[in-house]
Amino acid sequence: MTQMNMAKAINLALHEAMTKDKRVIVMGEDVGQDEGVFRITEGLHAKFGDTRVIDTPLAESGIVGTAIGMALYGLKPICEIQFAGFDYYNYHQLESHAARFRNRTRGRLSVPMVMRAPYGAGIRAIEHHSESREAIYAHTPGLKVVIPSGPRNARALLHSAIQDPDPVIYYEPKAVYRLFKEEVPDAMETLPIGQAQVARKGKDITLVSYGASLRPTLEAAELLEEEDGVHAEVIDLLTISPFDAATIVESVSKTGRCVVVHEGPRTCGIGAEIIARINENAFLYLEAPVKRVTGFDCQVPYFSKERAYLPDAERVLEGCRATLSF
Amino acid sequence: MTQMNMAKAINLALHEAMTKDKRVIVMGEDVGQDEGVFRITEGLHAKFGDTRVIDTPLAESGIVGTAIGMALYGLKPICEIQFAGFDYYNYHQLESHAARFRNRTRGRLSVPMVMRAPYGAGIRAIEHHSESREAIYAHTPGLKVVIPSGPRNARALLHSAIQDPDPVIYYEPKAVYRLFKEEVPDAMETLPIGQAQVARKGKDITLVSYGASLRPTLEAAELLEEEDGVHAEVIDLLTISPFDAATIVESVSKTGRCVVVHEGPRTCGIGAEIIARINENAFLYLEAPVKRVTGFDCQVPYFSKERAYLPDAERVLEGCRATLSF
Amino acid sequence: MPRKPIDLPFKLEYLSVLDENAELDKKLEPKLTDDELKTLYRYMLKARRADERMLNMQRQGRIGTFPQASGHEAISMGSIFCLEKEDWLVPAYRELAGMLYRGWPLETILLYWNGFEEGAKVPDGINDLPMCVPVASQLLHAAGIGMAMNIQQEKKVVLTFFGDGSSSEGDCHEALNFAAVFNAPVVFICLNNQYAISVPIAKQMKNETVAQRAIAYGMQGIRVDGNDVLAVYTATQEAIARARKGEGPTLIECLTYRFTPHTTADDPKRYRSEDESKKWHLREPLLRFAKFLKNKGIMNDEQKIAIDAEIDAEIKAAVAKAEELAKSEELMDPLRMFDYSFADMPPFLAEQRQELADHIAKHKKHKKEAGEKKAPSPAQI
Amino acid sequence: MPRKPIDLPFKLEYLSVLDENAELDKKLEPKLTDDELKTLYRYMLKARRADERMLNMQRQGRIGTFPQASGHEAISMGSIFCLEKEDWLVPAYRELAGMLYRGWPLETILLYWNGFEEGAKVPDGINDLPMCVPVASQLLHAAGIGMAMNIQQEKKVVLTFFGDGSSSEGDCHEALNFAAVFNAPVVFICLNNQYAISVPIAKQMKNETVAQRAIAYGMQGIRVDGNDVLAVYTATQEAIARARKGEGPTLIECLTYRFTPHTTADDPKRYRSEDESKKWHLREPLLRFAKFLKNKGIMNDEQKIAIDAEIDAEIKAAVAKAEELAKSEELMDPLRMFDYSFADMPPFLAEQRQELADHIAKHKKHKKEAGEKKAPSPAQI
Ligand SMILES: Cc1ncc(C[n+]2csc(CCOP(=O)(O)OP(=O)(O)O)c2C)c(N)n1
Ligand SMILES: Cc1ncc(C[n+]2csc(CCOP(=O)(O)OP(=O)(O)O)c2C)c(N)n1
Ligand SMILES: [Mg+2]
Ligand SMILES: [Mg+2]
């Protein structure tokens, strides 16, 4: 067991995966000698060299498109897109090819690759560096989307993503990179993609969240218990697509109330889909409308106001109270 | 009044808009001398010439990116993306710029442009020519999304889109282009963006749809009345973003039951958002879960099986019956 | 020091070996055996006949819209013929001749244009990607495959294709640049037929040749007569030899003309003159090459007729096979749309699959859809 | 006819007017009045001082991460100085000197880097776009503006900027190609500082110059000494003159070196040697130009000190103004995040605005956030 932060845990997983499997390649802008603008690829270039840790030209479609070619050839590329706000440049390659080769060729070819990108607001960055648009990938058939919430699950999920035979979008909540440390076991571990975790047990209301929003959600759950004596169950989705509806439905069937928390825009976001699934599978158990505490449907404001945009514990708490008093 | 199909009606709107406003420019691949692969730009090049009807190089980001420049300069570009399946190539320009200039510059600059694209399945086209991914645009702050369902509203909505001071995605259900004719008034008309229409009045169940899915939805409503004596109200969204939640909520508050029909993928689709809004605003009126009859979360199959993918009257009918008997 | 010229270490050339009258430039004649020459001819002819047959089938509603390859046979065949089995081919969609040579059964191609994913299922033992619809996007896959070959230290090459119009896409730029920077063993073949659907090359680019784009990437580039299979062959051989020696990518522009419509849905009369087309008909690649083979004494009229007959029989058999396959339980089953989304089907997709299965069982429908004939649609690719 | 060379109607040149020792090539001296020369100097200096001041402010947490422009003043100033008021500027993010000259108040720039949209609000009366973060995407806007000028038959020009790294983006290719095809009056300035964050130009492209990319588009191209304001000025004047005459776009590569970090969050020691940097420090643009002005008798030491003092006062005032604005009710109000999404606010957004308004009213919070100081963040642009 070692205490480490999420940045270090992701870095550890990369080291482990590259050591274990020669086919694993890391590529992206500044991932080599510079070790990534967030230093997530620290030590890789020194250890594995130019051939397997590739500084690419500044071209996101180029990065993802050539990674697709490498994956088709039998390698396992992990590409870093420097910020999620620039992965729109390569979305067509993911949508049109990474997500389709298996289906297109009836299983003859596949694209086992990972696209990593730091996403989300909260670090006082400039425009285009704070978006949280995982719902676009969740809406895209053929892609899996994983978002860790802490060091330990970040490392385990990255291993699962790398081992997955299909393309996985691995979004890293950059506000969490160095936010806290956690025990990470010495032995390599994985976590099944598609499985949520109950981060806190409770019986009165279900809170669903993921990524950077998990912490304010957990804080709100604490406050709720302290101040209102209400026991909130908190579910950490971990996989956004395909997400673990069963765990949510089971919890909501017990609590009858639910609040979904995420920082991405509300309309057609993950919250909407969770509501739809609860509606479809736990309709008769619901005692109040499912509440969405989310980012708003405007642009993430420039950083002087980003905290007002982000769901925080107080907004979650209010959402819970509104749901409880419905 | 003239009888015309949707292709003709859109063409008419383009002629009218270009005649009325010199700043209106049409651009895209093959829109000039060839008059568009679906002939939607028929007669424009002959009438308005090279300067205002522009055959561009084959580059979608180029088309949308230069259109943004033109709009910033004061023109009103209407760009055609040959098929919606290729607008992922230009999504970053829409997301990062068209949708943002007004906000970014606190209203000093704006991007009054329209991106037209034929979308959806049902015409036996090859891969990438059958997608229906309007939800991506609905999820993107700063964009409006309009989808007509018939000749008359197609023309009126295109005028509204062109006159709109902000960027509008105008998705054309290509399966409807030449499917039927309708009376279109001689005088130019508009329809307010953001307003749905009740396409059929009813009291027992609310069906919400748009675009090419509207017709099977209406058919199902007829069958429901004939076979089950149930009166379905059918709402034609027309604007997908920002959509008219009020009209849906009002109807569902009356009927207590709802089925949403669209051909786009289900997860995080428009149906999910509609369910979320009903959950938020008509929770106590709901007597059954809202049902989604939609495209599936796999790739649209190659055309030998596309009809099985598409929601048809029978699937809608079944969805209604499941909802009614809940 | 002030205004000093910058020397570019490049010269661009135009290469042609057989002229329009099938006169050979002896100095440039590639070393090919009679059998090899006949093989070149055979696949070019087979592609031509298949294309013609498919046009009929399309008119009869037996397959969907497709892009004709007639007139472009010298390009795909002259280049793809240079590949070894372990090399990779990343096609666009007009490389029928070369794909047939590579081992793609014609029935597979027919399934593709008749709306079956099975038509994109790469045959076992072949290192190719299937045809690609979003133009230029495949060039990045080719660059990536080439990069992977370097990473794995395997001395293979990749051959990839794109059109003059496709050269305008950002992905084309990124692919050429990545290939150059990483010294990837990729040969980029630009099939310059001077039109992108209706858009003539003069509206597509201001530069006079596509080949000069190579200079922008510090890459070798050449323009060849794309209707001359020997010129295409020669340029490709040279490029592949360089690539195998670790000297990186090459851009080969093959100048040709699309004397068919863009696809079966297109009407070229809308945007170009018959005269222009006629002029190019004279430069048609197959007749020219046949004449050369005859002049050279490799193929007499009898042999020519025999090849024709063989090919007709092969095509007939392929059509029958494709139409039989299309009616098979397996290919007609709509539920299979779910089966290849992921290696393992996630629960939510399994539920959707069941939903459709129940619906079909209830209505006993959709089963027949796959086999139905339909009127041609107005869709382009 | 076979292997015949293709002649390219292009010659590439390298241009330098003032050498490293401020020696002038008399033949090439541009016609500029003393006042104009002093103006060039003044804005270059102001940008330098502002940059230095901003670095301090960033270290103190008074603004966020920003990309330094020191050392690149000759490029933006030499080129932007050539614009008329009604021309358009489409910047990237290192054009501080030219933007100040164009009329962007320094306090606006400061607001931008302190996280206020008001910093991107183009000042009234100026035909510019604000700085652009997603690299190369702005080049298409420039091309589109140029196309619009042609459509409207207005004889204006657009000047736009991008980096060596940004040249790898597909959008850069599409923009150069559109501008060439539509003969748009656009001057593309590549600020080649030889690094894209940590990636040296040798890993970015295999071609030796960015200028040769012009050949790929049938466009005029030139490489100039980017630390020589007179060379940049001369090349831009020529390009603008051609553009105004309807002769289309030009690509100007300005060779320079980023002797600062990429942004305040970057550490160049990780990827390049001090020696390399030092060598380039000797070619620094401002000292060279000051020496030239002194040699020419246009600016003596006293005058130089006076300008320095004026500029310091201007910067002090701008900082005060920016910090005052940042504390204003208007700029601090988070509810304004909703107000410019659309010309008219749709109901669902109005509801969300109300939701936030209620929340803030209840908790009396967020109001202060805007003014708070923060530790520097590790974000790059
Ligand atoms: C990204 C993308 N945009 C648009 C299309 C529609 N389309 C198909 S082929 C074609 C023209 C291609 O021209 P060119 O590259 O010259 O190839 P050719 O068909 O002439 O061989 C177009 C616009 C497409 N398939 N992909
Ligand atoms: C599309 C996009 N991808 C990545 C980034 C992150 N990024 C910001 S600046 C930069 C390097 C730019 O290098 P260059 O074009 O040479 O300009 P310079 O900063 O050297 O002036 C990168 C990778 C971005 N802003 N936009
Ligand atoms: Mg072509
Ligand atoms: Mg640079």
Side-chain angles (χ1 to χ4, degrees), chain D residues 305-347:
Chain D
I305 291 168
I307 296 177
D308 254 321
E310 273 171 45
I311 281 173
D312 279 348
E314 285 172 25
I315 290 174
K316 200 168 276 170
V319 170
K321 182 90 180 280
E323 300 206 322
E324 197 189 298
L325 281 170
K327 277 183 243 148
S328 67
E329 269 299 308
E330 191 191 345
L331 266 68
M332 275 174 59
D333 183 2
L335 295 177
R336 295 177 78 234
M337 73 171 82
F338 295 99
D339 295 353
Y340 300 97
S341 289
F342 301 103
D344 299 306
M345 194 179 298

Side-chain angles (χ1 to χ4, degrees), chain C residues 32 63 71-72 144 150 156 160 166 172 187 198 213 267 306 353:
Chain C
L32 285 163
I63 61 171
H72 295 341
N150 280 351
K156 306 179 193 169
T160 188
S166 312
C172 179
V187 181
S198 73
R213 291 264 163 98
D267 174 12
R353 191 183 196 278

Side-chain angles (χ1 to χ4, degrees), chain B residues 9 31 33 39 45 48 61 93 106 113 124 129 155 161 169 171 194 203 217 233 239 250 271 280 313 321:
Chain B
V31 299
Q33 222 170 319
R39 310 288 176 249
H45 185 258
F48 301 102
S61 183
Q93 281 288 346
R106 309 276 86 185
M113 66 177 278
R124 291 168 57 80
H129 289 62
R155 178 210 191 198
I169 310 301
Y171 259 17
K203 60 180 178 35
T217 305
E233 180 141 300
T239 297
E250 194 189 310
E280 281 157 8
R321 286 182 178 149

Side-chain angles (χ1 to χ4, degrees), chain A residues 58, chain D residues 72 93-94 162-166 190-197 199 201 204 256 258 262:
Chain A
L58 209 183
Chain D
H72 294 342
Y93 49 78
R94 287 197 209 274
F162 65 109
D164 47 307
S166 312
C190 179
L191 188 158
N192 177 3
N193 59 13
Q194 305 180 66
Y195 282 89
I197 308 187
V199 180
I201 190 153
Q204 195 71 242
T256 182
R258 199 194 71 217
H262 169 69

